[in-house]
Amino acid sequence: MKQNLSALWSLRRAIARREARRPVRVCRYTLPGEGSLRLVHLTDLHLDDRTDWNALSRLVEQVNRQHPDVVVFTGDLVCHPEPFRQWKTAAEILRRIQAPCGVFAVRGNHDLFGAGQQAQRLFEKSGFVLLKNQVARVQTPSGTPVVIGGLDDVYFQNLSDPSSLLCMRYAQGIRIVLVHEPTLAKKVPRGTADLILAGHSHAGQVYAPVVWRAWMTKKVGHYLQGFYNVHGMRLYVSAGLGESGPGFRLFCPRELTIFDFEQMGREHF
């Protein structure tokens, strides 16, 4: 029995090392908007003391090479329930993200329990603007107004307040809503967002066509990865950057997502 467990653990570590060496997949999309904006979307880092800090540094460098106007993060900054002793190292690296309009974030389910206090500290020390049922307004260097709303996590506690986004319905500029769980997009008031961004699904994390995908559907509905239409608004679910559960990915690459908005007027697909 011990030999079998040891063999399984060795296999898990081998798969994790192999997948960690794979480059982060960069997904680029161009969308219509009231003005121009380059936005980089990050999600589900799941940082802990086993994180490869060199890999995190390379990710930050990759983000900065995109010259984003704004960077957003849609939750699960930390992993649980282990104590996170190296959060200062993580904060020092994440503070290097360069975006003239700022870095905005919402909390995920892993940020609320276990290492929750450390997550709060890490968000602050990393320079992230944490939106808890709040709306922020910024302006790009080119003069485009951007409105960013963030709903707090709903997975274990009923903390989310979608009514906080109603002020975005008639806002001028490009309107972005951040959520962690993609199913929460169904509660975003109609007509308040040009783009809703979510994570949480890891795109399944381990690709198994029948059993695993069926289990994931119970957690995220049919919102596994990519674009969806929710009440006439675009929802994009990212595959994310980290792991939970089995601790490795298999045929579900990590993802860095870039959205370029261009002056084409507001329209829905």
Side-chain angles (χ1 to χ4, degrees):
M1 181 66 177
K2 289 183 177 180
Q3 289 180 337
N4 291 337
L5 289 175
S6 178
L8 286 173
W9 182 254
S10 297
L11 177 62
R12 172 199 172 276
R13 292 185 64 182
I15 294 173
R17 285 196 298 268
R18 187 191 69 174
E19 293 299 311
R21 289 194 296 268
R22 293 182 182 273
V24 174
R25 178 178 62 183
V26 178
C27 300
R28 298 177 183 271
Y29 302 99
T30 300
L31 300 176
E34 292 188 352
S36 62
L37 169 71
R38 172 162 287 189
L39 178 148
V40 169
H41 177 207
L42 309 173
T43 192
D44 294 277
L45 279 169
H46 289 276
L47 301 174
D48 62 18
D49 289 330
R50 294 163 294 187
T51 296
D52 183 337
W53 304 117
N54 290 326
L56 184 62
S57 294
R58 290 194 297 271
L59 174 67
V60 169
E61 291 169 2
Q62 190 172 15
V63 169
N64 291 340
R65 285 197 298 270
Q66 308 307 318
H67 302 290
D69 295 306
V70 63
V71 173
V72 298
F73 180 80
T74 52
D76 280 359
L77 183 60
V78 301
C79 198
H80 77 91
E82 301 91 345
F84 187 15
R85 291 178 289 272
Q86 297 190 57
W87 65 268
K88 291 183 179 179
T89 301
E92 191 278 326
I93 295 171
L94 292 173
R95 276 199 305 269
R96 301 174 194 165
I97 295 176
Q98 299 172 5
C101 293
V103 182
F104 296 86
V106 292
R107 298 187 295 182
N109 52 296
H110 285 254
D111 301 322
L112 284 169
F113 60 96
Q117 291 184 340
Q118 292 169 320
Q120 180 73 28
R121 188 183 303 120
L122 182 54
F123 277 117
E124 295 172 357
K125 298 299 182 181
S126 300
F128 291 11
V129 178
L130 191 58
L131 299 176
K132 302 178 182 179
N133 305 312
Q134 295 169 300
V135 175
R137 292 172 171 81
V138 295
Q139 190 174 65
T140 68
S142 65
T144 299
V146 182
V147 185
I148 304 171
L151 292 183
D152 212 353
D153 185 81
V154 74
Y155 196 71
F156 284 103
Q157 304 179 52
N158 190 22
L159 300 175
S160 182
D161 179 16
S163 67
S164 64
L165 303 179
L166 287 172
C167 62
M168 296 178 63
R169 181 166 287 166
Y170 303 107
Q172 297 297 311
I174 298 172
R175 304 166 303 165
I176 308 294
V177 168
L178 311 180
V179 299
H180 180 61
E181 290 84 4
T183 54
L184 187 54
K186 293 185 289 187
K187 296 186 178 182
V188 174
R190 183 185 297 270
T192 57
D194 299 304
L195 179 64
I196 305 170
L197 295 172
H200 187 60
S201 73
H202 302 190
Q205 189 171 305
V206 176
Y207 180 75
V210 180
V211 178
W212 183 256
R213 291 287 170 123
W215 181 78
M216 284 300 300
T217 298
K218 293 181 180 180
K219 294 173 66 67
V220 300
H222 69 283
Y223 306 120
L224 199 60
Q225 194 273 332
F227 281 104
Y228 300 89
N229 187 327
V230 180
H231 305 318
M233 299 177 290
R234 288 184 180 89
L235 163 67
Y236 185 83
V237 182
S238 170
L241 293 153
E243 306 88 21
S244 62
F248 63 88
R249 288 177 178 253
L250 187 62
F251 308 125
C252 291
R254 296 169 176 80
E255 177 181 334
L256 172 70
T257 323
I258 302 163
F259 296 94
D260 283 309
F261 287 84
E262 296 181 354
Q263 182 75 52
M264 299 166 60
R266 223 177 242 165
E267 57 185 59
H268 298 292
F269 72 113

